[in-house]
Amino acid sequence: MSELLPLYRGAQVRAMDRTAIETLGVPGYTLMCRAGEAAWRLLRERWPRARRIGVACGPGNNGGDGYVLARLAKAEGFAVVVLAPPGTSPRAREARQALADWRAAGGRVETFDGLLPEADVWVDALYGIGLARPPSDAARAMIERINASHVPVLALDVPSGLDADTGHAVGAVVRADVTLSFIAAKRGLYTGMARDFDGEVRVDALGLELSRLSDEAPAAWLIRPDGLSRWLAPRHANAHKGEHGHVLCVGGEVGMGGAVRLCAEAALRTGVGLASVATRSAGVAALVAARPEAMTHAVEDAAALAPLVERATVLAVGPGLGQGDWGRALYAAALASGKPLVLDADGLNLLAAAPTPLPQAILTPHPGEAGRLLGVTSAEVQADRFAAAAALVRRFDCVVVLKGAGTVVAAPGEVPVVIGAGNPGMATGGMGDVLSGVVAALHAQRLPAFEAAVAGALLHAAAGDQAARIGGERGLLPSDLFPYLRRLANPE
Ligand SMILES: NC(=O)C1=CN([C@@H]2O[C@H](COP(=O)(O)OP(=O)(O)OC[C@H]3O[C@@H](n4cnc5c(N)ncnc54)[C@H](O)[C@@H]3O)[C@@H](O)[C@H]2O)[C@@H](O)CC1
Ligand SMILES: [K+]
């Protein structure tokens, strides 16, 4: 599996489909048959003991894929039940053909009457990229029954009910164990709410070559942890600490001193040459004792911050900063310095209170912070994470790391990148402090801002996955990531 997967909007995949049919001369029904065949192969491979196959077919070509699969399963002697919401009769030519062939093979279509027949696996072919509105009441009831059946589900192209461009639920959504997408990967399946519904996502190109279908840029890239090595070359033998940058972490209001320690230690574990901390006097002794390698300074005002800023390569501003007079003064001084910045937590809240373009910054908001920065709710951010990231880029003219399941990294003039790693164990206080230290450290080690953001988010997520693999997701602490950050920062 390649480390970089191009992701597309539904409309782009539709255009590819048209190119395949009209320019390359592959009939639409041939493509549909390939889709049904690929799905049937995957089902057999994944659930070899399943004998009773349920197929839920909707009104469009997604349903057509389902009829093809049903026919293939029946031809091999499996017990197949095809179920459709009441009043479903395919209009598209290919889907009509698939239904006719299913019937010609002796197949029947049952109308859903509220009861779900027994099956060992359900195939979800209700809606694909053509979903235009929330599923009808009957389709919703079918989806709810399928989800409640606790039978494995293979979704064709997209779990029904999910918007393939945004990953947002349009209404009720099928909860799939595996989703097999056709022709090309759909952007929405890799981020946000979609991650709770699509299970393992696979792609089948239906025998088509992407390069012959489109010369458009993808709508996003998915990057996986194998991609890390491109940014993490081994140090050269004659290295000295001055070459590896100096991160200054600014934060740690009274009562929040731990955040800045997590940030500084993460920067050190990601290979920065020097890490300094500017924090409240009250936090200094504990931090020095806990992590002597971080050069910790008592900084009570902006004047005391200035010489530290002077020596730093990159500032990480915000972990535990608070929004009081002290935090506001340090934040303002950091911004005024013009130094490269990673802005997180209260740094973002202070920015939201007085928005200004920050071309020297990398912002690392979670959906709540992103909402405050945009003046919308976090639910609106989550409804279209790509649009929210793009809006933040426009508003602040800088690199944005929109955290969450399938973190989205966006920047002016760049195709956004979705981070293909991470787990729900990472939804814990302090995890963002670690991320800001990692990103700042990579930026200080001379990765340009966008690359530092992508590589940092990927490294952080991959470290979280490795830590969770050993001890489980629940109870995962941000500091558990440190040994894995170090290991991953030194690829073989
Ligand atoms: N040659 C082709 O056209 C191919 C199509 N493919 C499949 O076709 C799918 C796209 O097909 P379609 O464009 O027909 O779209 P869908 O099959 O996703 O369904 C949309 C159909 O349902 C209707 N509809 C949308 N939302 C509805 C709702 N909430 N309630 C009731 N009806 C609703 C639409 O009017 C349309 O008829 C892909 O996702 C993929 O599965 C694949 O077989 C690959 C080849
Ligand atoms: K589907």
Side-chain angles (χ1 to χ4, degrees), residues 14 17 28 32 59-62 65 127-130 132-135 157:
R14 239 181 233 296
D17 188 68
M32 186 170 280
N61 282 334
N62 195 248
D65 299 343
Y127 308 104
I129 56 174
R133 52 191 179 278
D157 210 22

Side-chain angles (χ1 to χ4, degrees), residues 128-150:
I129 56 174
L131 183 75
R133 52 191 179 278
S136 63
D137 287 348
R140 160 182 276 274
M142 268 177 87
I143 290 171
E144 284 166 356
R145 285 287 148 79
I146 290 171
N147 289 347
S149 71
H150 300 295

Side-chain angles (χ1 to χ4, degrees), residues 14 17 21 27-29 31-33 35-36 58-65 91-92 94 125-136 139 156-158 182-183 186 206:
R14 239 181 233 296
D17 188 68
I21 295 168
Y29 189 52
L31 292 175
M32 186 170 280
C33 289
N61 282 334
N62 195 248
D65 299 343
R91 281 187 293 274
E94 289 87 357
L126 283 169
Y127 308 104
I129 56 174
L131 183 75
R133 52 191 179 278
S136 63
L156 303 193
D157 210 22
V158 182
F182 302 123
I183 301 183
K186 317 294 182 300
L206 305 185

Side-chain angles (χ1 to χ4, degrees), residues 132-479:
R133 52 191 179 278
S136 63
D137 287 348
R140 160 182 276 274
M142 268 177 87
I143 290 171
E144 284 166 356
R145 285 287 148 79
I146 290 171
N147 289 347
S149 71
H150 300 295
V151 164
V153 175
L154 170 64
L156 303 193
D157 210 22
V158 182
S160 297
L162 210 60
D163 182 314
D165 286 355
T166 63
H168 193 65
V170 174
V173 185
V174 168
R175 195 177 290 273
D177 294 271
V178 181
T179 298
L180 181 63
S181 264
F182 302 123
I183 301 183
K186 317 294 182 300
R187 180 178 83 163
L189 297 191
Y190 297 87
T191 194
M193 196 179 252
R195 301 302 295 120
D196 269 329
F197 293 99
D198 51 19
E200 180 195 342
V201 183
R202 301 235 194 144
V203 181
D204 191 291
L206 305 185
L208 303 169
E209 265 177 63
L210 204 54
S211 60
R212 298 186 66 199
L213 296 179
S214 174
D215 47 19
E216 257 187 59
W221 292 99
L222 180 78
I223 188 159
R224 300 191 174 93
D226 311 357
L228 275 171
S229 54
R230 68 171 67 200
W231 292 297
L232 296 166
R235 288 183 172 185
H236 69 95
N238 189 28
H240 62 90
K241 66 185 178 212
E243 287 171 50
H244 304 300
H246 184 167
V247 167
L248 172 64
C249 306
V250 183
E253 178 56 291
V254 175
M256 296 188 284
V260 83
R261 179 195 160 188
L262 288 169
C263 178
E265 187 159 351
L268 287 164
R269 292 300 183 193
T270 310
V272 77
L274 294 163
S276 294
V277 176
T279 193
R280 282 288 207 184
S281 318
V284 172
L287 213 150
V288 168
R291 187 42 69 209
E293 297 86 348
M295 297 175 289
T296 302
H297 303 262
V299 171
E300 288 298 337
D301 53 32
L305 186 67
L308 303 179
V309 167
E310 189 64 31
R311 291 200 290 276
T313 324
V314 173
L315 315 181
V317 178
L321 186 66
Q323 299 180 58
D325 292 345
W326 178 78
R328 283 207 306 275
L330 267 52
Y331 164 84
L335 255 62
S337 74
K339 284 263 170 157
L341 287 178
V342 177
L343 217 53
D344 188 41
D346 282 322
L348 297 169
N349 292 329
L350 290 168
L351 178 62
T356 179
L358 279 182
Q360 76 276 30
I362 300 170
L363 311 184
T364 56
H366 57 56
E369 290 157 348
R372 285 194 281 283
L373 288 164
L374 291 170
V376 301
T377 62
S378 61
E380 286 169 289
V381 169
Q382 290 297 74
D384 189 342
R385 288 167 53 77
F386 294 99
L392 287 166
V393 167
R394 277 196 304 278
R395 180 168 257 218
F396 297 101
D397 189 26
C398 66
V399 177
V400 171
V401 179
L402 177 56
K403 296 183 289 200
T407 288
V408 176
V409 186
E414 301 283 354
V415 171
V417 173
V418 181
I419 304 299
N423 65 80
M426 299 179 76
T428 310
M431 223 32 110
D433 305 323
V434 171
L435 176 68
S436 60
V438 171
V439 172
L442 293 176
H443 197 18
Q445 288 170 81
R446 303 201 184 134
L447 283 188
F450 182 59
E451 291 177 53
V454 172
L458 187 60
L459 180 57
H460 178 253
D465 285 347
Q466 289 202 352
R469 216 164 285 140
I470 306 290
E473 291 176 356
R474 187 169 287 134
L476 180 68
L477 297 186
S479 53

